[in-house]
Amino acid sequence: IYWQKLAQMYLIESFYNKTPVKPEAEEALKKAIELSPNRVEAKTYYAEMKLWQGRVGEAVEMFKEVSEIDPTNSDVVWELAVAENSAGQ
C-alpha cells in the first residue's frame, strides 16, 4: 500500500499544480503492482494516470485487466468505457 499511496501523492500534486505527471508516480505504481498484482486500486490509478497522460491505449488495456480482476466494479466498467470512447473503440 505504501507505493500506491506515494504514487497518489505525486498524482495529486501534478493534478493540482497542473503539471505533467512525475516519473516517480509511474515508478511507484509499477512497484505497487509488482508487489500486489491483483490490487484493483493500484491498477486503477495506473490506468487513470495513463489516461491523463494521453496514453489512451495503455489505459484501456489496464482497465481491461482490472475489470477481469473485479468484473462487478462499476467504477472500473465506467472508466473502461470512457477510455475506449477516447480511443475511438
Side-chain angles (χ1 to χ4, degrees):
I1 287 184
Y2 167 80
W3 293 104
Q4 178 186 318
K5 295 294 184 184
L6 179 62
Q8 280 179 274
M9 295 305 298
Y10 286 127
L11 294 173
I12 290 168
E13 177 186 24
S14 296
F15 181 77
Y16 284 113
N17 292 327
K18 297 182 175 144
T19 58
V21 174
K22 291 182 177 181
E24 292 90 346
E26 186 165 354
E27 292 169 16
L29 283 170
K30 284 181 178 179
K31 185 70 172 175
I33 292 167
E34 175 188 324
L35 293 171
S36 189
N38 290 325
R39 187 161 180 78
V40 169
E41 295 86 359
K43 286 190 169 190
T44 300
Y45 282 121
Y46 192 79
E48 289 171 346
M49 178 189 69
K50 295 295 185 184
L51 204 52
W52 297 341
Q53 293 173 321
R55 296 160 68 180
V56 179
E58 293 175 64
V60 168
E61 291 307 312
M62 185 58 71
F63 280 128
K64 284 181 179 178
E65 284 185 34
V66 176
S67 69
E68 289 175 10
I69 295 168
D70 186 2
T72 62
N73 187 322
S74 59
D75 291 333
V76 172
V77 172
W78 171 256
E79 293 203 59
L80 173 59
V82 169
E84 287 177 331
N85 186 53
S86 295
Q89 297 179 0

